[in-house]
Amino acid sequence: MELFETKEKIDSYIKLCKQEGKVVGFVPTMGALHDGHLSLVKQAKKCCDVVAVSIFVNPTQFNDPKDLERYPRTLENDVKLLESVGCDIVFAPTVKEIYPEPDTRQFNFGYIGDIMEGPKRPGHFNGVAQVVSRLFDIVKPDKAFFGMKDFQQIAIIRSMVSQLGYKIEIVSCPIIRESDGLAMSSRNRLLTPEH
């Protein structure tokens, strides 16, 4: 498994893969990985020659600075987990690597951005579109894999892909749940039994 921290290094590696005619699958994450993430990697492995996973806690999608600060970061363990399921590439950039300049782009998602989570998390979906488009530009995947737990986010990403004209297939994958039925999430580790 290859671990890259810079755009230049992952770009060179992906170019070689593409020259060899390989299909590149991509799973964008914010780390603190669990079986839900690993299921996405396993699905990508079934239909792609090379699977890349990004681990990047994206500041532009947090409307609460305290939430960003306490978001779990477990890179060393994440890398071990990814290795165990046959991931080929891990991209773990710094904020400066993703945003050498502030990203001031504003996306318009219309109705799908204005309902459900939209009003409760102002700016969140715009930040998601900013980071995922940046990652797509860097990794240049043929297919990208997302969990249905984030149903509205998948709709946002499909809209962004259409708006920006990406030729990337967005693959939605089933929700993976805890034994008690709760959808797996990196934030679950912040919950108390009462929560």
Side-chain angles (χ1 to χ4, degrees), residues 4-75:
F4 300 113
E5 296 178 344
T6 67
K7 296 182 291 253
E8 290 74 21
K9 287 186 177 173
I10 192 170
D11 182 60
S12 299
Y13 192 85
I14 296 284
K15 275 181 180 161
L16 286 174
C17 294
K18 298 259 183 165
Q19 284 167 9
E20 294 169 4
K22 292 179 177 173
V23 174
V24 177
F26 180 44
V27 180
T29 82
M30 291 205 300
L33 302 183
H34 50 69
D35 284 345
H37 295 110
L38 301 183
S39 75
L40 301 178
V41 177
K42 290 173 187 174
Q43 184 61 40
K45 292 288 289 180
K46 289 178 186 174
C47 53
C48 302
D49 303 305
V50 176
V51 177
V53 174
S54 61
I55 297 174
F56 177 68
V57 181
N58 175 41
T60 73
Q61 72 189 67
F62 286 83
N63 52 323
D64 178 356
K66 288 180 182 168
D67 191 21
L68 172 61
E69 193 178 301
R70 69 174 176 257
Y71 194 88
R73 290 163 173 85
T74 57
L75 181 61

